[in-house]
Amino acid sequence: MPLPTPVAREPVHVRSIDCRGFARDDGLFDVEAWLVDTKAYPVANRWRGPIQPGEPIHGMGLRLTLNDDLEVVAAAAMTDFSPYPVCGAIAPAFEQLVGLRIGPGWRRAVQARLGGVRGCTHLVDLLGPLATTAMQAILPLKRRAAPPTPATRPPGHLDGCHALRRDGPVVKEHHPEWYTGDG
C-alpha cells in the first residue's frame, strides 16, 4: 500500500543509507553501513567551494567486524565527503567500539564512548541501522547452525513491535509457548 498522494512538491534533500552483512572466511562477520547526503540545489561551502546538486555533502561509512555473539572485534570508520576539513579526523575514535556487544545497552554504550564531541553525529547515527543489520545477518545463520533445543525464556524480539506482541496472532502461530492472549 503506497503512502497517500502528496501535494505538489520538489525534492530538496536525499539521505541514502545502505547496510550490508557479510560472512567472512575466518568465521567472523563484517557489517558495513554507508551514508550519503545530497541536495537538489547548490550549497555554498567555505572549505570545498560550491557543492553542486547531487554531489555528496556527507559521504561516510563504518565497518564492524563481529563474532557470532555480536561482539565487536574490530571497527573502522571513514569520511570521503564532509562539510568541514576536520570531520574525517574522528574516524579512529570508532575503534572504541571494540569489545562492545550488540544487544541490550548497545545505544547507551555507544553514546558513552562516542556521543557529542567524542564522535560524529552521522557515523553514530549509522550504528543503529548497522546493529539491526548485524542481527539480521548473523542471528538467522547462528540459529540454522545450532541444534534445536527447547527455549527456557522468550525470544528477545517478542514485544519489540506491534506485530510481535505476545498476545498477537504472529506470536500465537510462531511462538505458541510464549503466547499470552486468549485461546
Side-chain angles (χ1 to χ4, degrees), residues 160-175:
C161 72
H162 171 76
L164 295 172
R165 68 187 195 276
R166 298 223 3 220
D167 65 348
V170 173
V171 172
K172 183 177 183 178
E173 180 179 344
H174 295 280
H175 300 284

Side-chain angles (χ1 to χ4, degrees), residues 29-96:
F29 298 87
D30 281 338
V31 183
E32 297 179 351
W34 302 92
L35 177 146
V36 177
D37 281 334
T38 59
K39 299 284 187 196
Y41 52 87
V43 175
N45 184 277
R46 190 169 162 196
W47 170 52
R48 291 171 49 188
I51 301 172
Q52 297 304 313
E55 182 182 349
I57 294 172
H58 295 107
M60 45 194 55
L62 283 168
R63 177 187 300 132
L64 298 184
T65 301
L66 304 155
N67 62 25
D68 62 359
D69 288 327
L70 300 174
E71 181 183 345
V72 179
V73 298
M78 55 70 61
T79 298
D80 279 340
F81 296 95
S82 63
Y84 308 107
V86 299
C87 289
I90 198 67
F94 285 80
E95 294 172 10
Q96 294 177 70

